Amino acid sequence: MEIPLKSLPGGRAAHSGNMMTQSDLEIKEKALKEDLKFYFMNPCEKYRARRQIPWKLALQILKILMVTTQLVFFGLSNQLVVSFKEENIVAFKHLFLKGYSGTDEDDYSCSIYTQQDAYDSIFYVINQYRHLKNISLGTLGYEHEESGLKVCKQQYKRGTMLPSNDTLSIDVSTETECILLKPKELTGKKAELKLNSSFFNLEFYRLIQVEISFKLKGIALQTIHARELPDCYAFQNTITFNNKAHSGKIKIYFDSDTDIQECKDWHIFNSVLQKNTQYILVFDGFVILSCLASLILCTRSIILAWRLQKRFVNFFWEKYKRRVCCADRLEFLNGWYVLIIISDVMTIIGSILKMEIKAKNLTSYDVCSILLGTSTLFVWVGVIRYLGYFQTYNVLILTMQASLPKVLRFCCCAGMIYLGYTFCGWIVLGPYHEKFEDLNTVAECLFSLVNGDDMFATFAQIQQKSSLVWMFSRLYLYSFISLFIYMILSLFIALITDSYDTIKKYQQSGFPVRDLHEFLKDHSSAGYRKDRTSFPFICCCRRQQSDDNLILIN
């Protein structure tokens, strides 16, 4: 006997409730699949599907042109700054270093070997400083009259030394004495008294070093020819006569610390410079606006992608009672947008600094160049994202993604061997080979050997004073080159090649299917308009208002 459905308590209501729940779930699933499908489309596919204008794509193309143009202008300006600094340093060496040949000796400028040469070199610096305005070809001057040339000598407190009897008695505590020679004093009789004082009677057996420091001012007029306002410079010069080794050779080091300062009072009677500066400032303002718009759009896309991921995770748990794996969650995190956001922030900050530099309110050339250079690098790297929409160009990105974890693990293992060779070469070959004198130089030398550079010179420069060390150097270099070039480097290339072959196979037979791909596999795109524009290379049209509450921008 069949029992009618209506005779069951709550039977029809329960059945109706189940039907409504199932219907709502299907509607929700269909809407979610459409949004997911749309999210993973490229800009042109989105335009053909819902007539959504690819604002971010157009803005990124415009931004590439503007940022690159801005960088070129700043690079040309920065090039003038660098050349002015370098040319002044060379001029200072020729002005203040007696017997300077024009090229530095190793890491120091020049060297002296007799006591008379030491006195001549020290007084030569003082004399050149005294007559600077009469002999210099540059726009140089003293900082102010109260400043001057400061001479300091550092030496052991006291001691006696008789090398012939192998006798040494010395107090290793050091003392430092200084004397200040002002520009006004150098032109009067007081200068002769100071120069003939006991301060300049040097006891070389206990002398450690003599340091001469002075500050000069200069103005870079060459920027006027490039239609830019000139900068004012302050050069803090230090000349060090280093006698720490007491080997009979005093090394002379010249160091110049350049500081770009604001010109306090300048009048240039030419309106072209002022107008050119204004045009560049306006252009920098447009760059900031475009980057700000790009930053807002990309941030909005990340927020909408996070909301879409949350919808997918909740629905997947509601329907299948399973959690979405991390790989599927990461599909919603678009690394290119993160890269663009970082680039936009750096460009905005760098452009503000550039505008201040152009207006001569700041002189932070180094900070500005790092920000603009790195941001331009990221902008051009971001172009790969749009090339990745084509299967032929997408191989590079996919290969890098697939091989990166393996390469990092491999580099950790190879790095241990590399560090071992670095420390070994430094401690054993350092006294006999100039390329192994310090850890940084050893690491650079070994890296160049891995790339096949300068091999013969590295073998040939080893000093043959010790037969044991010479034999060890051969074993050391042959084993390192054989191990890294023929084994480690080949394995490194094999890892990337293996990932490339895997990606090629996936492109032919299909990539591994995860939950997200399985979820979207059977979804048809019937809900999207398939009509194509008559201009296939133009993906722009007015966006329909009816789709505003559905579209999630990728």
Side-chain angles (χ1 to χ4, degrees):
M1 178 179 179
E2 295 182 356
I3 301 176
L5 182 63
K6 63 180 180 179
S7 63
L8 293 174
R12 184 178 298 275
H15 180 71
S16 176
N18 292 334
M19 292 292 293
M20 289 295 293
T21 303
Q22 187 69 20
S23 177
D24 292 343
L25 194 62
E26 291 177 355
I27 294 175
K28 186 186 294 186
E29 180 179 0
K30 183 178 179 182
L32 179 60
K33 286 184 176 181
E34 288 183 356
D35 289 342
L36 288 172
K37 190 77 173 181
F38 184 78
Y39 173 78
F40 291 108
M41 287 181 178
N42 63 49
C44 287
E45 290 174 342
K46 289 180 179 180
Y47 170 73
R48 289 194 293 266
R50 296 184 180 178
R51 296 293 183 183
Q52 175 179 316
I53 301 176
W55 294 109
K56 289 194 297 297
L57 173 60
L59 188 58
Q60 295 307 316
I61 296 175
L62 176 63
K63 196 177 71 173
I64 289 174
L65 298 176
M66 297 183 70
V67 169
T68 305
T69 304
Q70 181 193 43
L71 186 73
V72 170
F73 286 150
F74 181 75
L76 294 175
S77 176
N78 196 27
Q79 187 176 349
L80 297 176
V81 174
V82 173
S83 64
F84 185 77
K85 290 181 182 179
E86 292 179 348
E87 290 174 4
N88 271 275
I89 292 174
V90 173
F92 290 150
K93 290 182 178 180
H94 283 278
L95 279 173
F96 297 105
L97 299 181
K98 185 178 181 180
Y100 181 66
S101 63
T103 56
D104 290 351
E105 300 179 20
D106 296 331
D107 59 338
Y108 51 92
S109 299
C110 56
S111 55
I112 51 179
Y113 300 91
T114 65
Q115 294 184 11
Q116 187 60 43
D117 287 340
Y119 285 115
D120 291 344
S121 298
I122 292 173
F123 288 114
Y124 182 82
V125 175
I126 298 173
N127 189 55
Q128 292 292 94
Y129 181 80
R130 178 194 301 178
H131 301 97
L132 178 66
K133 293 183 178 180
N134 297 326
I135 61 176
S136 174
L137 296 174
T139 55
L140 297 174
Y142 305 120
E143 182 183 17
H144 49 78
E145 295 300 327
E146 294 302 320
S147 67
L149 185 141
K150 185 178 181 181
V151 184
C152 295
K153 64 177 182 178
Q154 184 184 17
Q155 56 189 4
Y156 298 117
K157 279 191 174 181
R158 59 184 178 274
T160 57
M161 186 179 300
L162 297 173
S164 58
N165 296 332
D166 298 329
T167 304
L168 171 66
S169 175
I170 192 166
D171 184 356
V172 294
S173 300
T174 60
E175 60 181 6
T176 302
E177 298 180 46
C178 295
I179 186 173
L180 181 64
L181 303 173
K182 297 181 181 180
K184 285 185 177 180
E185 295 177 349
L186 290 174
T187 58
K189 295 181 179 180
K190 290 183 179 180
E192 299 298 329
L193 295 175
K194 285 191 174 183
L195 294 178
N196 294 324
S197 64
S198 60
F199 176 84
F200 290 97
N201 293 329
L202 304 177
E203 296 178 355
F204 289 93
Y205 73 92
R206 65 189 186 99
L207 178 68
I208 299 175
Q209 70 176 24
V210 175
E211 185 177 280
I212 304 176
S213 58
F214 55 93
K215 195 169 186 177
L216 299 175
K217 290 288 191 76
I219 301 176
L221 295 179
Q222 64 175 345
T223 56
I224 295 178
H225 301 287
R227 296 185 177 183
E228 293 187 15
L229 298 175
D231 288 321
C232 293
Y233 291 78
F235 301 96
Q236 181 62 51
N237 300 319
T238 303
I239 302 174
T240 304
F241 296 80
N242 191 329
N243 192 39
K244 293 180 180 179
H246 288 86
S247 60
K249 174 182 179 180
I250 294 181
K251 299 177 181 179
I252 303 177
Y253 295 87
F254 183 92
D255 180 62
S256 181
D257 186 13
T258 307
D259 183 25
I260 305 175
Q261 300 176 344
E262 302 175 35
C263 294
K264 296 180 180 179
D265 187 17
W266 48 268
H267 301 281
I268 300 176
F269 302 99
N270 192 339
S271 60
V272 176
L273 297 179
Q274 303 286 351
K275 290 182 179 180
N276 185 61
T277 302
Q278 292 175 358
Y279 293 151
I280 295 179
L281 291 177
V282 171
F283 178 76
D284 292 336
F286 279 114
V287 173
I288 293 175
L289 291 178
S290 64
C291 291
L292 188 61
S294 173
L295 177 64
I296 294 173
L297 289 176
C298 291
T299 305
R300 174 177 175 266
S301 297
I302 290 179
I303 295 174
L304 293 177
W306 178 79
R307 292 178 181 176
L308 182 60
Q309 182 212 55
K310 192 174 181 180
R311 282 178 56 195
F312 174 68
V313 170
N314 293 337
F315 178 82
F316 207 79
W317 175 258
E318 180 181 354
K319 183 174 181 180
Y320 301 105
K321 304 300 179 183
R322 287 166 50 196
R323 296 187 181 277
V324 179
C325 64
C326 293
D328 284 338
R329 288 173 181 266
L330 291 176
E331 290 281 349
F332 293 89
L333 178 61
N334 196 320
W336 297 111
Y337 288 158
V338 177
L339 186 68
I340 291 173
I341 289 175
I342 296 174
S343 172
D344 290 335
V345 172
M346 297 181 73
T347 303
I348 292 172
I349 298 175
S351 298
I352 294 174
L353 290 178
K354 181 178 178 295
M355 294 174 71
E356 292 295 319
I357 292 173
K358 197 68 180 177
K360 303 306 175 185
N361 297 324
L362 287 177
T363 57
S364 305
Y365 277 92
D366 292 337
V367 178
C368 184
S369 60
I370 291 173
L371 290 172
L372 292 182
T374 308
S375 64
T376 306
L377 168 65
F378 289 164
V379 166
W380 280 97
V381 170
V383 178
I384 300 177
R385 172 178 181 255
Y386 301 105
L387 293 177
Y389 292 139
F390 305 96
Q391 186 176 0
T392 306
Y393 299 99
N394 199 31
V395 177
L396 173 61
I397 304 173
L398 296 177
T399 304
M400 292 174 62
Q401 290 176 348
S403 62
L404 184 61
K406 299 177 183 178
V407 168
L408 291 178
R409 289 192 294 267
F410 181 80
C411 288
C412 289
C413 298
M416 300 299 104
I417 305 175
Y418 189 84
L419 286 175
Y421 270 93
T422 301
F423 286 113
C424 179
W426 173 54
I427 197 64
V428 178
L429 303 181
Y432 302 94
H433 202 300
E434 63 177 7
K435 293 185 179 180
F436 292 83
E437 291 180 352
D438 57 77
L439 280 173
N440 184 48
T441 308
V442 176
E444 294 172 353
C445 175
L446 294 182
F447 190 79
S448 65
L449 288 177
V450 171
N451 292 277
D453 297 334
D454 213 18
M455 283 191 182
F456 179 76
T458 305
F459 277 97
Q461 288 178 10
I462 187 70
Q463 299 178 13
Q464 300 187 17
K465 293 182 179 180
S466 173
S467 300
L468 180 62
V469 175
W470 187 85
M471 293 285 294
F472 179 85
S473 69
R474 265 45 193 170
L475 178 63
Y476 172 86
L477 292 174
Y478 279 123
S479 63
F480 176 82
I481 293 172
S482 301
L483 180 63
F484 272 83
I485 291 183
Y486 302 125
M487 184 179 294
I488 294 180
L489 190 60
S490 298
L491 289 174
F492 183 85
I493 297 173
L495 287 176
I496 301 176
T497 305
D498 180 65
S499 299
Y500 175 78
D501 293 336
T502 303
I503 294 301
K504 292 294 290 183
K505 292 179 182 178
Y506 283 163
Q507 286 186 333
Q508 296 174 359
S509 60
F511 287 84
V513 179
R514 295 195 298 268
D515 291 337
L516 178 61
H517 305 145
E518 190 70 27
F519 183 76
L520 293 175
K521 186 171 63 173
D522 298 330
H523 177 67
S524 63
S525 302
Y528 299 123
R529 289 192 297 270
K530 294 296 183 179
D531 54 319
R532 296 177 178 268
T533 178
S534 57
F535 302 97
F537 297 104
I538 301 177
C539 297
C540 359
C541 188
R542 179 167 298 182
R543 176 178 167 182
Q544 294 190 3
Q545 299 294 330
S546 59
D547 291 334
D548 285 349
N549 58 345
L550 297 175
I551 293 179
L552 289 167
I553 298 178
N554 181 15

